[in-house]
Amino acid sequence: MEDHVKIFDTTLRDGEQSPGATMTAPEKLEIAKQLARMGVDIIEAGFPAASTGDWEAVHTIARLVGTPDGPVIAGLARANRADIERCWTAVRPAAKPRIHTFLATSDIHLEYKLRMSREQVKATVREMVAYARSLCEDVEFSPEDAGRSDPQFLHEVLAIAIEAGATTLNIPDTVGYLTPEEYGALIRGIRESVPGADRVTISTHCHDDLGFAVANSLAGVRNGARQVECTINGIGERAGNAALEEIVMALHTRPQFYGVGTRIDTTQIARASRMVSSITGLPVQPNKAIVGANAFSHEAGIHQDGMLKHHLTYEIMRPETIGKDSSLVLGKHSGRHAFRKHLEQLGYELSDGEIETAFRRFKDLADKKKIVDDRDIVALIDDQLHQPAPIWVLEQVQVSCGNTAIPTATVRLHGPDGEVRTDSAQGTGPVDAVYKAINRVVGQPNVLTEFSIKAITEGIDAVGEVTIRIEEEGNGNGNGHDHPGGDPDRRESRARTYTGHGVHTDIIVAAAFAYMGALNKLIAARQERMRRKAASYTEANTPAFAMDLFGNSAWGRDV
């Protein structure tokens, strides 16, 4: 058995399937770089056959992050030739590529979803795993819904996958049904009963529908699994996946019990958690293990007294172990050099232009706050990095409101045509008035689906952080994006959600910046769809050349 547990991060694939967590290609690349910095062994970068955008994101990550000393870059593929070939073209630029293919094995899925017999499943697994292995030396196979599959049939399918060339067998508890005892026994039974299981890596993939995802994954490790599939902050389908930070820190904190560890740089965990939360707009609950705001907070008098005497009284981990350090190190008199060095210590790699913008924003904040700590700085940088290339730029916002006044907002925007436009609107409150004024200028119909505010730090001068989500008005709902087996063509019918993020000491200004960020993403997505449709129309009407559904050349064929 291997001497460490491989961490297979699927934040960019399974995590992105959380409702509203869709990420742009640049955002995926940013997270992938952080995962590589953290020391993740395998990054599942996406589902290349799902859309052109997914393929491009996986391909870019394979080229830029999949270096010889970097992580394995994997893509997900259904057990059919088109998916597998599409996946291979996406991950091929990586120094260490992997094809991850799957097919359900539970009778429930066979009867109601696949409409296949057990013999058909075995034949398909044999053929498709062998085909994937003919393209790529590293092939992972997952029997979807393994937790509810007949054990004898499951073992037969896994043995066939090994014979066909699979190097990793991933055992999904797809619907989060099993208990830790059951899941541990499932892993142990595979290791003991499946011929050739000792020659491959056994992996866990657990969902959190009953709150067992982390416990089940660790039970799998105790019974011989040496790869764990997980996500940052535990995001994913329905109730989510096993949380990477909880898996890693359990193994890190209890080495005598588990007898095995990981190769993760734990000091990068908090940074990764903040980044994923900021990009997806999915907040981390305050009492979340490891990365929650209260994870290292002590309010009870007895606890505070114990902590003052020795931290081991109430802390089994130190906050700096995961990169949580809120010490004050910079102020309004700090220079650019010190600021740059501190950002490097926080894990940021910024260009000179980005440093200049960040330093200017930091100085503005330092003039307004008595105390600036790392949380403020991280919020500013994350907000800056996650804003899309501006199409519309908010130059000024002014609000008048009160208990006897009608909330009125005036905004001045710089448009894509270079023209500066100003307009005003009234609303039910100051934020509503600001958004209506912006809508009058921009003219992009949308529906506000979520609005959240939180304070980054303590005190009356705290920096406020606003996260919003908007959807395109009039869009239908499909389910093609909602799980890997969905029809990629149906993704276009799914209501698209765009997240905006704003940080400022004035919460109204932060709300305006957040809305502009979401609007710019929406407009950019519409422009990109129009560009692709125009390109598709041109290709389809060019006699000498056309493209098929998966973007492959289709000479002389009907497309």
Side-chain angles (χ1 to χ4, degrees), residues 153-358:
F153 175 59
L154 176 64
H155 293 173
E156 292 174 5
V157 172
L158 294 176
I160 289 171
I162 294 173
E163 290 175 7
T167 52
T168 298
L169 297 180
N170 179 51
I171 313 303
D173 183 19
T174 303
V175 292
Y177 179 71
L178 299 183
T179 65
E181 291 81 3
E182 291 172 320
Y183 190 78
L186 176 63
I187 298 297
R188 184 171 62 251
I190 290 169
R191 289 189 57 233
E192 294 174 350
S193 303
V194 175
D198 58 331
R199 304 195 307 269
V200 301
T201 300
I202 306 298
S203 173
T204 71
H205 182 109
C206 300
H207 281 264
D208 209 33
D209 298 73
L210 292 175
F212 293 153
V214 170
N216 283 353
S217 300
L218 293 171
V221 170
R222 288 271 288 171
N223 285 276
R226 286 299 177 264
Q227 176 179 292
V228 173
E229 300 200 358
C230 45
T231 62
I232 300 296
N233 298 336
I235 66 173
E237 293 273 16
R238 303 180 312 280
N241 291 57
L244 178 148
E245 60 278 2
E246 296 178 27
I247 298 289
V248 169
M249 292 310 297
L251 297 176
H252 178 85
T253 307
R254 302 296 307 277
Q256 297 87 354
F257 182 77
Y258 290 105
V260 66
T262 72
R263 294 175 176 172
I264 296 296
D265 178 359
T266 62
T267 63
Q268 294 291 330
I269 286 177
R271 165 89 175 108
S273 172
R274 289 191 296 263
M275 180 183 292
V276 170
S277 177
S278 177
I279 287 176
T280 62
L282 299 176
V284 176
Q285 65 194 64
N287 63 323
K288 168 77 169 63
I290 313 300
V291 294
N294 296 343
F296 296 95
S297 297
H298 307 274
E299 183 170 339
I302 295 174
H303 288 217
Q304 292 174 344
D305 178 67
M307 285 295 297
L308 290 172
K309 292 172 179 174
H310 200 290
H311 71 87
L312 283 176
T313 54
Y314 287 104
E315 281 188 352
I316 60 173
M317 298 167 282
R318 296 297 288 155
E320 54 266 25
T321 306
I322 65 162
K324 274 193 170 186
D325 186 355
S326 299
S327 59
L328 177 66
V329 293
L330 294 175
K332 67 179 181 179
H333 300 296
S334 300
R336 286 176 177 80
H337 181 71
F339 184 70
R340 179 190 291 271
K341 286 294 183 184
H342 189 68
L343 290 184
E344 291 174 357
Q345 293 173 3
L346 291 175
Y348 292 99
E349 298 177 2
L350 305 182
S351 66
D352 290 342
E354 290 171 332
I355 288 286
E356 187 62 33
T357 300

Side-chain angles (χ1 to χ4, degrees), residues 372-391:
V372 179
D373 67 23
D374 286 354
R375 292 172 293 175
D376 296 311
I377 296 170
V378 166
L380 282 179
I381 302 303
D382 284 346
D383 176 59
Q384 174 182 322
L385 293 178
H386 302 155
Q387 295 298 336
I391 299 173

Side-chain angles (χ1 to χ4, degrees), residues 333-502:
H333 300 296
S334 300
R336 286 176 177 80
H337 181 71
F339 184 70
R340 179 190 291 271
K341 286 294 183 184
H342 189 68
L343 290 184
E344 291 174 357
Q345 293 173 3
L346 291 175
Y348 292 99
E349 298 177 2
L350 305 182
S351 66
D352 290 342
E354 290 171 332
I355 288 286
E356 187 62 33
T357 300
F359 185 69
R360 186 170 60 252
R361 296 186 70 191
F362 162 72
K363 283 288 192 178
D364 290 341
L365 177 61
D367 283 335
K368 297 172 183 174
K369 287 197 66 180
K370 293 181 179 180
I371 297 176
V372 179
D373 67 23
D374 286 354
R375 292 172 293 175
D376 296 311
I377 296 170
V378 166
L380 282 179
I381 302 303
D382 284 346
D383 176 59
Q384 174 182 322
L385 293 178
H386 302 155
Q387 295 298 336
I391 299 173
W392 288 89
V393 178
L394 178 66
E395 291 192 346
Q396 182 179 356
V397 57
Q398 181 175 321
V399 175
S400 172
C401 61
N403 66 325
T404 60
I406 298 175
T408 305
T410 301
V411 298
R412 184 165 67 223
L413 305 179
H414 192 277
D417 55 3
E419 182 182 350
V420 176
R421 304 180 189 179
T422 303
D423 211 329
S424 300
Q426 296 177 341
T428 56
V431 174
D432 183 50
V434 169
Y435 287 4
K436 285 180 177 177
I438 292 173
N439 286 341
R440 286 173 62 90
V441 175
V442 177
Q444 292 288 340
N446 66 84
V447 178
L448 181 66
T449 59
E450 185 175 330
F451 181 95
S452 66
I453 302 174
K454 69 175 181 179
I456 300 299
T457 48
E458 301 80 13
I460 196 169
D461 60 353
V463 171
E465 182 180 49
V466 174
T467 299
I468 73 162
R469 288 199 184 113
I470 61 175
E471 289 183 357
E472 293 185 83
E473 193 172 80
N475 235 2
N477 284 299
N479 61 6
H481 180 69
D482 292 337
H483 89 48
D487 182 354
D489 294 337
R490 297 186 65 184
R491 293 188 63 159
E492 290 299 313
S493 66
R494 183 177 182 267
R496 294 176 180 82
T497 301
Y498 303 93
T499 301
H501 193 67

Side-chain angles (χ1 to χ4, degrees), residues 73-114:
I73 305 298
L76 185 69
R78 290 166 293 190
N80 64 65
R81 285 182 175 266
D83 267 33
I84 291 171
E85 182 178 348
R86 185 67 165 160
C87 179
W88 172 237
T89 61
V91 301
R92 190 172 185 174
K96 293 176 284 188
R98 174 181 294 187
I99 296 174
H100 179 194
T101 188
F102 70 97
L103 188 64
T105 52
S106 70
D107 289 334
I108 295 172
H109 279 238
L110 265 61
E111 179 179 357
Y112 296 109
K113 188 182 77 171
L114 299 178

